[in-house]
Amino acid sequence: MNIDEMNKLLDAAKEHMEKAITHLEDELTKVRAGKATPSMLDSVFVDYYGTNTPLNQVGTVNTPDARTLVIQPWEKSMLTAIEKGITYANLGFNPQNDGTVIRINVPPLTEDRRKQLVKQAKDVSEHGKITIRTIRKETNESIKKLEKNGLPEDDAKRGETKVQEITDTYIAKMDEVLKHKEKEILTV
């Protein structure tokens, strides 16, 4: 019975760590890597008839090439509001309204900016690692509670060893995700 509970704890730890990896990947897509992606505008909100609305809910964002974003509003009357929203988001972009769509030319990254982005990516990754270590700590505490409630000491030690193996695996996955993002940022 207690072994089953411990296995459930281990499965839950894996599941939470997998979510931490997914969250890291999502956060890293927001870190600009030199080429235009629609997710660059995820932080842009637009005044839609008095309501602050995410840009992707008032129009379509496309990337016709690696240096250009094109926003096609679903209502032509939203062009000015979208333009203002992009400017207020302070992303360093200069939106150009041609009366039909809004175009944004994404400037190439400077060497200093690339280094800043790598540092930002490392910070995001470190937060992910802290999350994984917290999951490890909580799982180990739960195993200790099981031990107090009758789980044999040998099984508890095996469980803690397994938690550490799972933790090491997910920390390595985070390092791999970060390494891939660094390469993407530094590729000119």
Side-chain angles (χ1 to χ4, degrees), residues 32 36 65-70 92-96 102-108:
R32 196 176 136 205
D65 60 56
R67 296 265 178 246
T68 311
L69 290 166
V70 175
F93 295 141
N94 187 14
Q96 292 150 2
I102 293 177
R103 291 185 196 287
I104 299 173
N105 290 318
V106 179

Side-chain angles (χ1 to χ4, degrees), residues 2 9 25 46-48 54 61 69 82 135 153 158 162:
N2 287 328
L9 287 173
E25 290 169 342
V46 176
D47 179 13
Y48 185 67
V61 181
L69 290 166
I82 291 172
I135 295 165
E153 187 180 340
R158 269 194 289 280
K162 187 71 177 147

Side-chain angles (χ1 to χ4, degrees), residues 1-146:
M1 159 104 181
N2 287 328
I3 296 281
D4 290 342
E5 288 179 41
M6 188 174 69
N7 287 334
K8 284 180 186 171
L9 287 173
L10 295 173
D11 289 342
K14 280 183 194 172
E15 191 177 316
H16 289 301
M17 288 181 188
E18 195 60 52
K19 286 179 182 171
I21 296 282
T22 303
H23 180 73
L24 172 68
E25 290 169 342
D26 289 346
E27 289 299 306
L28 287 179
T29 60
K30 296 174 188 169
V31 177
R32 196 176 136 205
K35 61 182 185 210
T37 60
S39 63
M40 295 168 101
L41 299 177
D42 283 352
S43 62
V44 175
F45 283 82
V46 176
D47 179 13
Y48 185 67
Y49 301 109
T51 305
N52 227 6
T53 309
L55 174 64
N56 61 11
Q57 292 182 16
V58 295
T60 309
V61 181
N62 291 310
T63 51
D65 60 56
R67 296 265 178 246
T68 311
L69 290 166
V70 175
I71 300 102
Q72 174 75 54
W74 293 324
E75 300 174 31
K76 272 209 182 9
S77 62
M78 290 305 300
L79 280 167
T80 309
I82 291 172
E83 200 173 357
K84 280 182 187 170
I86 293 167
T87 305
Y88 289 142
N90 199 17
L91 299 170
F93 295 141
N94 187 14
Q96 292 150 2
N97 180 346
D98 71 3
T100 313
V101 296
I102 293 177
R103 291 185 196 287
I104 299 173
N105 290 318
V106 179
L109 296 172
T110 64
E111 189 60 34
D112 283 347
R113 184 65 180 136
R114 286 179 194 279
K115 287 177 183 168
Q116 284 176 333
L117 291 172
V118 166
K119 186 176 183 292
Q120 183 182 347
K122 284 180 180 176
D123 289 346
V124 170
S125 173
E126 191 52 42
H127 285 288
K129 288 180 182 179
I130 290 168
T131 301
I132 286 181
R133 290 185 200 113
T134 303
I135 295 165
R136 173 186 63 192
K137 179 181 169 224
E138 291 168 356
T139 305
N140 282 335
E141 286 171 0
S142 296
I143 289 173
K144 282 188 187 352
K145 283 180 190 168
L146 284 179

